[in-house]
């Protein structure tokens, strides 16, 4: 980290107050990467997070002591962490404004506390600790020195007789990995930036001056330098500003905004503070974002400038196209037309010259094969088509690859229509972000293949049928997997020709075109270009061809192209889903052992290609429904019985995608697909195993499916696959399937027999989050049984579970809290959880912004409080913990409310805690919740009210807050648990006279009398007790009346 901060980070020049980090995009990117590393450190490396630094990291902070809550001792001006080293010194000490931190764990928690100001805190820490590694490990391991390789530092550690040498070695490796990551990240970031030089800036200014002045058709009113003196290096900035990379300062007066004072520097162009006096002194401070050049800056600041430049740029293109067109117009007409557009042409030349200067500059600064965004693709497409027409202008012969103007126009209309419809539709989600369009620099060094391909594309455009076939065969001989070759075809206008070949009657041309499109459509940009050019409707039409080879190639190309939403929509819109489903039926009618002609493929291959295309299309909800309606499920079920791995992977992949829909899960059961999925878990193909496990994961939400997996022997191969941890994608799918199958107790028993629980415990460390979520979820289900809780404890699984409580992944936190709740049922497990500070971590999750995490944490606290020794004192030890719980009763989420009521039920069993939460206003908050129809909330709310009645005048307070009458209505519920909790609450409330009257007036007696005959003894006793109190009040009232 020291090397990256020294060499990559951008620091201000030394001056008063020392050097600080500049406010630049690169520095911000570096800080964000460091924050990500520190935030994840505590749960990725829990042991190393506890390591105590040799010297504390110290800096000035803007945090307020009140921001620190659980785990810290807070006063008005100081904060100390409860966590301390072996000498009793706190690992975090804060005395405003200075803060000292001595472990990675405390750094992680501090960033969590800082929330929105974490970037500012990270910057302050790094500025104050220029060599943090030396403070963390000691000055013997100074990474800023030249001799700072990993091997040298590790040698120093091994030479030391230090008991913490192993942890130090791990930290050194982690910090070196971070250092390398930051350096690589900086290089990538810098490579994307365009650096200006004085010559480029001077050309820009001179050209803008040429087209500035009064009048509506000028681009600017004026543009001048602030200084007339030019140094020998071309700069006009003072020497002391040139050190900072600044070259000159320009005053620009656009037509529609005030005068702008602009700084031109090596990093780019930005607005400064302007002139501060008449003598020309400038406020050099940057006042906005940095732009890559002067033109881009002015387009952003002035709408008028942007409009004029766009208009004249278009006019210039039209003029160029007209001038190059080989038509038969007379020279006189040409000379008449030219003067009308000369002015616009000159102004457009301005923009072109500036761009040319930049491209030459870029060539010197960037690698030779760096693809850059220079033009919008649709504009380029039309210009390529125009050029194509120009080159063939005089030809009357129509070849196989010719494009009629009417058809080109129709294609553009279709593309426009598709974009309009997709923009309005929200039924499909974008699966992958497509990168920006890339174009090859005109003057960049290119391999010979690039130019050879461009020549072949010319033959495609202008040749006859035989020349077209030969050119296609020659193109196929190139390595079309290389991006250079792919983009050479596109840049030469070859995509338009290849797509139009699909609409000819020549089978050879179609096959050649599809073979090339299939290869180059692996490129994400070319996929998008194919859709823009209307290629998908033509491919869908080919699916009806009698030639099986054509069907296969079209389906495979569709599979490659349909990787993003608009492409999937186009396939469905043009009837492609139904046609692809029909291809699946080919394998069932096959009687031919091999292809019968040049244009035929095996029927199994046709079905495989159809399944491949359906797999890509099935990432859309609407397409899944279309596949089901087209009868795809029975056909996929039949294909699943084959033994060909190449066929099985797309079939299972499609089923896996579709199994997320409830309709599909029911159909999968009906077609007996689970049996074949289980069978293929034992395949040698890892990808097939992964997709089968993922399909089981999706389907196992249903109990019947879980039973089928067990009955067909699927649990044993799942358990055995846990031992292969190299393939993380497969491991995530397998652990997910085990998690869902573990919901059934019978399956858990089988997993225990196969020793799967011990293996799951071993996977709690050093695994990616997608694996951890599933592993912890499975353990949470397994630990519902006593034997499995014992296994987890004996295997040392409690500690890694508690360590995961400090993470930030929502799904992982929900599953971890459930697993800890299941383990906490055993007193021995609870002792370990308490010793590891697990209860405090659970309590801190009540502040998590996600309702699911809050609810899960509150549910987990219930068994912890029930089974902890001296639970009352433990709960009181959490500063502000009881107030936090009471305030959660203001939530709008029913699950959070139910879980918090359950927690309050357990907290209120201690009289001192009950008194504290009463002072915090628990009674009115519980009373406000009484009018609910949610049976789960009703049950736990009634239990909480019952327990809270045990203190002071809380019974009376519940009556005053109108909580009694709504409780009586709970007795009409169909849930016996609600009846029991309500009867117990009414029994406690009936100890107050006024509450007794309310209970009687709301008709509770008749319902309670029926419950006295219940088989549930607790319900019997509570109902009888409530009736007894009502009866005694009635007798006392009767007696008082007559005496």
């Amino acid at each position: 980290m020291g090397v990256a901060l020294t060499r990559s980070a951008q620091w201000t020049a030394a001056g008063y107050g020392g050097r600080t980090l500049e406010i630049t995009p690169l520095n911000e990117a570096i800080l964000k990467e460091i924050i990500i590393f520190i935030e994840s450190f505590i749960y990725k490396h829990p042991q190393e997070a506890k390591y105590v630094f040799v010297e504390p990291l110290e800096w000035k902070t803007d945090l307020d002591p009140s921001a620190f809550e659980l785990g810290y001792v807070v006063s008005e001006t100081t904060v100390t962490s409860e966590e301390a080293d072996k000498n009793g010194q706190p690992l975090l000490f804060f005395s405003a404004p200075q803060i000292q931190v001595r472990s990675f764990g405390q750094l992680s928690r501090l960033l969590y506390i800082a929330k929105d100001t974490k970037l500012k805190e990270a910057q302050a820490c790094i500025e104050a600790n220029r060599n943090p590694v030396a403070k963390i490990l000691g000055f013997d391991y100074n990474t800023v020195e030249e001799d700072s390789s990993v091997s040298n530092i590790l040698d120093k550690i091994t030479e030391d007789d230090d008991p913490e040498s192993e942890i130090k070695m791990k930290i050194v490796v982690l910090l070196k990995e971070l250092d390398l990551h930051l350096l690589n990240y900086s290089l990538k970031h810098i490579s994307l930036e365009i650096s200006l030089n004085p010559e480029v800036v001077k050309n820009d200014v001179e050209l803008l001056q040429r087209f500035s002045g009064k009048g509506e058709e000028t681009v600017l009113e004026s543009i001048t330098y602030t200084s007339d003196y030019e140094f020998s290096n071309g700069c006009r900035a003072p020497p002391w500003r040139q050190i900072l990379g600044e070259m000159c300062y320009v005053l620009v007066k656009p037509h529609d905004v005030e005068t702008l004072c602009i700084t031109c520097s090596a990093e780019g162009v930005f607005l400064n503070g302007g002139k501060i006096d008449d003598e020309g002194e400038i406020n050099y401070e940057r006042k906005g974002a940095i732009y890559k050049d002067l033109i881009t800056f002015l387009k952003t600041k002035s709408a008028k400038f942007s409009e004029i430049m766009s208009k004249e740029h278009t006019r210039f293109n039209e003029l160029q196209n007209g001038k190059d067109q080989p038509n038969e117009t007379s020279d006189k007409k040409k000379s008449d037309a030219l003067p009308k557009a000369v002015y616009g042409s000159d102004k457009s030349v301005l923009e072109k010259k500036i761009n040319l200067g930049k491209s030459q500059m870029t060539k010197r600064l960037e690698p030779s094969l760096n693809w850059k965004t220079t033009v919008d693709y649709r504009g380029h497409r039309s210009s390529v088509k125009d050029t194509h027409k120009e080159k063939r202008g005089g030809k009357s012969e129509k070849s196989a690859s010719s494009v009629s103007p009417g058809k080109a126009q129709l294609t553009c209309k279709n593309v426009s229509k598709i974009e309009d419809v997709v923009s309005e539709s929200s039924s499909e989600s974008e699966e992958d972000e497509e990168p920006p369009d890339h174009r090859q620099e005109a003057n960049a060094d290119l391999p010979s293949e690039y130019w050879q391909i461009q020549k072949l594309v010319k033959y495609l455009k202008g040749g006859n049928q035989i020349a077209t076939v030969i050119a296609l065969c020659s193109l196929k001989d190139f390595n079309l997997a290389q991006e250079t070759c792919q983009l050479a075809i596109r840049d030469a206008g070859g995509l338009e020709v290849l797509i139009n070949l699909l609409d000819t009657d020549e089978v050879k041309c179609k096959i050649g075109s599809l073979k090339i499109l299939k290869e180059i459509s692996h490129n994400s940009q070319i996929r998008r270009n194919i859709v823009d050019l209307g290629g998908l409707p033509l491919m869908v039409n080919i699916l009806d061809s009698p030639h099986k080879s054509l069907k296969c190639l079209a389906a495979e190309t569709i599979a490659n192209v349909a990787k993003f939403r608009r492409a999937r929509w186009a396939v469905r819109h043009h009837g492609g889903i139904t046609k692809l489903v029909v291809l699946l039926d080919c394998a069932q009618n096959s009687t031919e052992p091999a292809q019968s002609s040049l244009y035929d493929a095996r029927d199994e291959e046709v079905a495989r290609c159809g399944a491949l295309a359906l797999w890509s299309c099935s990432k859309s909800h609407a397409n899944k429904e279309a596949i089901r309606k087209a009868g795809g499920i029975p056909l996929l079920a039949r294909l699943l019985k084959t033994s060909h791995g190449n066929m099985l992977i797309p079939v299972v992949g499609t089923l896996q995608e579709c199994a997320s829909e409830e309709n599909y899960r029911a159909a999968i059961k009906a077609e007996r697909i689970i049996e074949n999925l289980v069978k293929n878990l034992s395949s040698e193909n890892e990808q097939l195993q992964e997709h089968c496990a993922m399909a089981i994961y999706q389907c196992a939400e249903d109990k019947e499916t879980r039973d089928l997996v067990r009955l067909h022997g699927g649990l044993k191969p799942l358990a055995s696959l846990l031992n292969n941890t190299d393939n993380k994608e497969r491991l995530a799918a397998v652990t997910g399937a085990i998690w869902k199958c573990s919901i059934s107790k019978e399956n858990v028993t089988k997993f225990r027999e196969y020793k799967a629980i011990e293996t799951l415990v071993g996977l709690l460390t050093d695994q990616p989050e997608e694996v951890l979520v599933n592993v912890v979820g499975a353990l949470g289900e397994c630990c519902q049984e006593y034997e499995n809780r014992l296994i987890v404890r004996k295997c040392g699984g409690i500690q890694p579970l508690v360590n995961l409580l400090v993470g930030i992944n929502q799904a992982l936190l929900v599953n971890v809290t459930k697993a800890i709740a299941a383990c906490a049922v055993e007193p021995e497990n609870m002792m370990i959880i308490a010793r590891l500070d697990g209860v405090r971590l659970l309590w801190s999750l009540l502040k998590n912004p996600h309702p699911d995490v809050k609810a899960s944490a509150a549910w987990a606290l219930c068994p912890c409080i029930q089974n902890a020794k001296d639970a009352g004192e433990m709960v009181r030890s959490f500063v502000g913990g009881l107030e936090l719980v009471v305030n959660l009763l203001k939530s709008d989420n029913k699950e959070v409310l139910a879980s918090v009521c359950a927690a309050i039920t357990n907290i209120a069993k201690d009289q001192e805690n009950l008194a504290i939460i009463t002072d915090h206003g628990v009674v009115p908050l519980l009373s406000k919740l009484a009018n609910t129809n949610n049976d789960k909330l009703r049950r736990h709310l009634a239990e909480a009210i019952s327990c809270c009645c045990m203190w002071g005048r809380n019974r009376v307070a519940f009556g005053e807050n109108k909580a009694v009458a709504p409780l009586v209505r709970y007795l009409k519920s169909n849930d016996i648990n609600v009846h029991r909790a309500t009867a117990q609450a009414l029994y406690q409330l009936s100890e107050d006279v006024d509450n007794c009257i309310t209970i009687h007036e709301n008709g509770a007696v008749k319902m309670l009398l029926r419950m006295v005959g219940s088989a549930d003894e607790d319900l019997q006793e509570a109902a009888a007790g409530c009736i007894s109190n009502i009866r005694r009040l009635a007798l006392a009232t009767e007696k008082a009346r007559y005496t």
Side-chain angles (χ1 to χ4, degrees):
M1 188 161 68
V3 177
L5 292 177
T6 305
R7 297 183 182 177
S8 297
Q10 297 166 332
W11 298 84
T12 58
Y16 179 73
R19 300 177 70 189
T20 58
L21 285 170
E22 292 182 350
I23 303 172
T24 64
L26 174 59
N27 282 349
E28 186 174 340
I30 290 175
L31 288 173
K32 286 180 179 177
E33 290 299 309
I34 293 173
I35 288 170
I36 291 169
F37 173 79
I38 295 296
E39 282 183 328
S40 61
F41 198 96
I42 194 168
Y43 64 87
K44 283 188 177 178
H45 315 287
Q47 293 298 324
E48 290 75 14
K50 297 177 182 177
Y51 169 76
V52 180
F53 299 163
V54 174
E55 289 188 21
L57 298 179
E58 185 174 359
W59 69 94
K60 288 185 178 181
T61 178
D62 293 332
L63 290 175
D64 192 82
S66 61
F68 296 82
E69 295 181 356
L70 296 177
Y72 298 95
V73 179
V74 183
S75 67
E76 289 185 4
T77 57
T78 63
V79 177
T80 56
S81 63
E82 294 177 356
E83 190 178 5
D85 62 12
K86 58 186 177 183
N87 298 322
Q89 295 296 318
L91 297 185
L92 182 144
F93 177 74
F94 174 31
S95 178
Q98 291 292 126
I99 189 168
Q100 296 180 350
V101 181
R102 301 178 61 203
S103 76
F104 283 110
Q106 288 297 329
L107 277 176
S108 292
R109 290 182 183 128
L110 182 68
L111 288 176
Y112 179 77
I113 291 167
K115 295 180 181 175
D116 296 336
T117 61
K118 61 178 69 173
L119 196 67
K120 189 176 181 181
E121 290 298 318
Q123 180 178 348
C125 176
I126 289 171
E127 287 176 350
N129 303 275
R130 289 291 302 278
N131 190 5
V133 179
K135 290 193 173 186
I136 292 170
L137 298 171
F139 282 97
D140 290 338
Y141 315 113
N142 190 345
T143 60
V144 178
E145 297 173 357
E146 290 299 322
D147 185 23
S148 59
S149 65
V150 176
S151 57
N152 290 328
I153 294 176
L154 293 180
D155 287 342
K156 293 177 184 177
I157 293 176
T158 51
E159 288 170 5
D160 292 347
D161 188 15
D162 188 347
E164 292 185 332
S165 59
E166 186 177 349
I167 291 180
K168 278 189 175 183
M169 289 171 69
K170 289 181 180 178
I171 291 175
V172 166
V173 172
L174 291 171
L175 292 178
K176 275 294 178 182
E177 287 177 355
L178 173 63
D179 215 8
L180 185 61
H181 171 71
L182 292 177
L183 288 170
N184 290 334
Y185 188 83
S186 302
L187 286 174
K188 289 179 183 178
H189 194 279
I190 291 168
S191 69
L192 297 175
E193 295 180 352
I194 298 175
S195 181
L196 297 179
N197 65 18
E199 184 180 353
V200 173
V201 173
K202 185 177 180 180
N203 289 339
D204 285 6
V205 174
E206 287 179 353
L207 286 168
L208 285 170
Q209 285 175 337
R210 179 181 169 190
F211 300 104
S212 297
K214 299 295 181 181
E216 293 184 359
E217 294 189 357
T218 57
V219 293
L220 297 168
E221 285 189 13
S222 65
I223 175 169
T224 58
Y225 292 107
T226 58
S227 171
D228 294 330
Y229 181 76
E230 183 177 335
F231 291 88
S232 59
N233 60 0
C235 294
R236 296 173 184 262
W240 60 279
R241 297 302 297 181
Q242 290 184 31
I243 294 173
L244 303 178
E246 295 178 3
M247 294 178 286
C248 65
Y249 311 100
V250 184
L251 290 173
V252 179
K253 179 63 179 77
H255 289 292
D256 53 346
V257 294
E258 295 297 322
T259 302
L260 305 171
C261 190
I262 302 167
T263 298
C264 298
S265 70
E267 291 181 354
V269 177
F270 57 86
L271 187 69
N272 58 42
K275 288 191 175 184
I276 56 178
D277 55 34
D278 295 333
E279 296 179 1
E281 288 295 323
I282 294 174
N283 179 3
Y284 299 108
E285 184 180 355
R286 179 159 63 89
K287 296 297 183 182
I290 299 176
Y291 297 85
K292 65 179 183 178
D293 55 46
L294 197 54
I295 301 296
T296 305
F297 173 88
L298 291 171
K299 282 183 176 181
T300 307
K301 298 296 181 184
S302 170
K304 184 73 173 176
F305 178 85
S306 179
E307 179 187 348
I308 294 173
M309 293 297 282
S310 300
K311 187 189 303 179
E312 299 307 332
H313 183 66
T314 304
R315 190 188 302 175
F316 173 72
N317 282 342
E318 291 172 355
L319 181 63
Q320 288 294 100
N321 291 337
K323 188 168 64 177
D324 295 338
Q325 182 74 25
N327 53 30
E328 299 178 358
T329 55
S330 65
D331 293 339
K332 184 177 184 303
K333 289 183 179 178
K334 290 181 183 177
S335 61
D336 290 341
L338 272 172
K340 296 178 182 178
V342 165
Y343 192 75
S345 174
D346 285 346
K347 282 194 285 187
S348 298
V349 169
L350 154 69
E351 198 164 8
K352 185 167 184 177
K353 284 184 178 179
I354 292 174
N355 287 334
L356 179 61
K358 283 182 209 141
S359 67
Q360 291 170 345
M361 180 69 190
T362 307
K363 181 185 172 185
R364 291 196 297 273
L365 295 179
E366 296 182 348
S368 61
L369 288 179
N370 187 26
W371 302 89
K372 290 181 58 57
T373 303
T374 58
V375 294
D376 180 73
Y377 180 72
R378 292 182 184 84
H380 176 75
R381 186 185 74 203
S382 60
S383 67
V384 168
K385 285 190 175 180
D386 291 341
T387 307
H388 174 61
K389 292 177 191 174
E390 290 158 16
K391 290 183 179 178
R392 303 180 53 212
K395 294 187 181 180
S396 59
E397 180 186 349
K398 182 178 177 181
S399 71
S401 59
S402 63
V403 187
S404 65
K407 183 175 175 183
Q409 187 178 5
L410 179 63
T411 303
C412 292
K413 287 181 179 178
N414 287 339
V415 172
S416 175
K417 182 179 177 182
I418 288 173
E419 288 173 351
D420 292 342
V421 175
V422 172
S423 65
E424 295 171 6
S425 171
S426 59
S427 63
E428 299 181 14
S429 60
E430 190 74 51
E431 298 295 336
D432 52 325
E433 283 289 333
E434 293 288 350
D437 196 5
H438 292 300
R439 294 269 160 194
Q440 178 63 40
E441 287 291 345
N443 297 325
D445 297 330
L446 292 166
S448 60
E449 290 89 346
Y450 185 89
W451 306 112
Q452 291 170 12
I453 288 173
Q454 295 232 330
K455 289 180 182 178
L456 286 172
V457 171
K458 289 181 181 178
Y459 287 115
L460 275 181
K461 290 179 178 181
N464 56 25
Q465 180 182 330
I466 296 173
T468 300
V469 173
I470 293 172
L472 288 171
C473 293
S474 301
L475 277 175
K476 187 68 178 67
D477 290 338
F478 285 93
N479 183 5
L480 297 179
Q482 286 185 355
E483 188 181 34
T484 306
C485 296
Q486 293 167 352
L487 298 180
I489 293 173
R490 186 191 68 175
D491 293 348
L495 275 182
E496 291 92 332
V497 182
L498 291 171
I499 287 171
N500 279 284
L501 282 172
L502 300 180
D503 202 27
T504 64
D505 296 328
E506 292 298 326
V507 177
K508 291 178 183 178
C509 291
K510 286 184 179 179
I511 288 176
S513 175
L514 283 171
K515 282 186 176 181
I516 294 169
L517 288 171
K518 184 187 80 171
E519 295 298 328
I520 65 176
S521 58
H522 289 288
N523 183 295
S524 58
Q525 276 305 315
I526 288 180
R527 286 199 288 267
R528 190 170 289 276
N529 300 152
I530 289 171
V531 176
D532 290 341
L533 292 167
L536 279 176
L538 297 173
M539 294 178 199
V540 169
N541 290 337
I542 290 173
L543 295 175
D544 290 326
S545 170
H547 302 291
K548 294 174 185 175
S549 291
L550 275 178
K551 290 181 180 180
C552 288
L553 289 168
E556 282 190 278
T557 310
I558 289 172
N560 292 340
V561 174
K563 300 290 187 185
F564 62 103
R565 183 185 65 187
R566 186 153 52 91
R568 292 192 289 271
W569 180 92
V571 174
R572 184 178 76 253
H573 180 71
H574 293 284
I577 299 296
T578 304
K579 294 178 181 180
L580 288 170
V581 169
V582 170
L583 295 187
L584 300 181
D585 201 26
C586 291
Q588 308 308 316
N589 304 321
S590 175
T591 57
E592 300 175 9
Q595 61 257 39
S596 57
S597 73
L598 177 66
Y599 306 131
D600 280 345
R602 292 177 63 89
D603 289 320
E604 289 83 358
E605 182 65 11
V606 175
R608 184 193 73 82
C609 295
L612 205 60
L614 287 173
W615 187 8
S616 293
C617 294
S618 63
K619 289 178 170 59
S620 153
H621 168 73
N623 285 356
K624 291 175 188 176
E625 190 62 21
I627 294 170
R628 187 182 67 81
K629 289 180 178 177
I633 302 177
L635 295 173
L636 289 168
R638 285 185 215 162
L639 293 175
L640 199 55
K641 295 174 183 177
T642 183
S643 58
H644 300 295
N646 289 339
M647 171 77 80
L648 287 170
I649 289 173
V651 169
V652 177
T654 306
L655 287 169
Q656 167 214 320
E657 290 290 345
C658 295
S660 59
E661 305 288 327
E662 190 174 349
N663 290 337
Y664 267 91
R665 293 199 289 270
I668 285 171
K669 280 187 296 181
E671 295 292 336
R672 304 181 65 180
I673 289 175
I674 299 297
E675 180 179 354
N676 290 300
L677 291 175
V678 168
K679 174 185 171 184
N680 287 310
L681 283 174
S682 303
S683 166
E684 297 296 324
N685 189 309
E686 290 189 4
Q687 190 180 2
L688 180 57
Q689 290 174 338
E690 175 191 338
H691 292 306
C692 286
M694 185 58 74
I696 291 172
Y697 165 77
Q698 298 280 16
C699 296
E701 296 283 349
D702 178 70
K703 184 182 185 304
E704 189 178 344
T705 302
R706 296 195 293 269
D707 294 339
L708 287 172
V709 174
R710 182 179 72 257
L711 293 173
H712 292 301
L715 301 182
K716 189 168 185 178
L718 283 174
S720 64
L721 286 173
L722 284 177
N723 297 312
N724 302 321
T725 59
D726 294 335
N727 187 331
K728 299 302 181 185
E729 290 79 9
R730 183 183 63 178
L731 185 61
V734 169
T735 50
I738 290 175
W739 172 22
K740 296 302 179 182
C741 290
S742 299
I743 298 172
S744 295
K745 291 184 178 180
E746 299 85 355
N747 292 350
V748 172
T749 304
K750 286 290 184 183
F751 284 132
R752 186 165 64 247
E753 290 178 14
Y754 302 141
K755 306 293 183 184
I757 297 170
E758 291 88 339
T759 310
L760 287 170
V761 171
L763 294 174
L764 286 173
T765 53
D766 300 325
Q767 296 297 336
E769 286 186 345
E770 55 268 23
V771 174
L772 287 174
V773 169
N774 296 336
V775 169
V776 175
L779 287 174
E781 297 296 339
C782 292
C783 287
Q784 301 299 322
E785 297 182 3
Y786 167 76
E787 294 87 350
N788 298 335
R789 293 194 289 268
L790 189 64
I791 292 171
V792 170
R793 184 173 77 246
K794 287 183 177 178
C795 292
I798 305 288
Q799 180 163 355
L801 282 173
V802 172
N803 289 339
L804 291 173
L805 287 173
V806 297
I808 56 176
N809 183 298
Q810 180 185 351
L812 180 57
L813 288 174
V814 169
N815 284 355
V816 169
T817 49
K818 287 180 179 177
I820 289 178
C823 292
V825 172
E826 300 299 324
E828 294 85 353
N829 291 353
M830 187 57 226
M831 290 174 62
I832 299 172
I833 292 169
R835 187 175 70 247
L836 294 171
D837 215 12
V839 182
R840 181 186 64 80
L841 293 173
L842 282 173
W843 216 291
S844 68
L845 289 178
L846 295 177
K847 296 184 288 185
N848 194 285
H850 299 290
D852 291 343
V853 177
K854 287 180 184 176
S856 188
W859 288 122
L861 285 172
C862 297
C864 291
I865 296 171
Q866 288 171 3
N867 297 288
K869 288 185 177 179
D870 199 6
E873 183 60 36
M874 177 188 72
V875 170
R876 286 191 295 279
S877 68
F878 303 132
V879 179
L882 290 173
E883 184 179 4
L884 174 62
V885 170
V886 172
N887 286 335
L888 283 176
L889 291 173
K890 300 173 184 176
S891 172
D892 296 327
N893 186 285
K894 292 289 191 293
E895 188 68 18
V896 172
L897 292 172
S899 60
V900 171
C901 287
I904 287 173
T905 301
N906 289 282
I907 291 169
K909 291 176 181 176
D910 181 270
Q911 288 292 299
E912 194 170 339
N913 288 341
L914 177 55
I916 294 170
I917 62 175
T918 300
D919 291 342
H920 286 309
V922 73
V923 172
L925 289 173
L926 288 173
S927 300
K928 285 182 181 179
L929 301 176
N931 289 298
T932 180
N933 296 320
N934 186 296
D935 275 350
K936 188 173 186 179
L937 176 55
R938 281 177 166 183
R939 173 191 172 184
H940 294 289
L941 175 60
E943 288 175 351
I945 289 174
S946 176
C947 290
C948 289
C949 285
M950 302 295 186
W951 178 258
R953 61 185 303 277
N954 282 359
R955 291 186 180 90
V956 178
F958 279 119
E960 292 172 349
N961 284 281
K962 311 296 182 186
V964 180
L967 276 176
V968 175
R969 292 196 291 272
Y970 292 6
L971 296 175
K972 297 178 182 178
S973 169
N974 295 322
D975 189 343
I976 192 170
N977 293 316
V978 176
H979 293 166
R980 185 192 314 109
T982 305
Q984 289 170 342
L986 291 175
Y987 170 59
Q988 292 297 332
L989 290 167
S990 64
E991 298 288 337
D992 176 69
V993 173
D994 293 331
N995 291 345
C996 256
I997 295 169
T998 305
I999 293 169
H1000 184 270
E1001 287 176 346
N1002 283 274
V1005 174
K1006 186 179 291 187
M1007 290 182 282
L1008 288 169
L1009 282 170
R1010 285 200 301 269
M1011 292 175 187
V1012 171
S1014 170
D1016 188 310
E1017 292 183 2
D1018 292 335
L1019 176 55
Q1020 279 183 3
E1021 185 178 349
C1026 185
I1027 293 171
S1028 173
N1029 288 339
I1030 295 171
R1031 182 60 185 157
R1032 275 200 294 271
L1033 175 62
L1035 289 172
T1037 304
E1038 193 73 19
K1039 184 177 179 180
R1041 182 184 300 172
Y1042 291 107
T1043 57

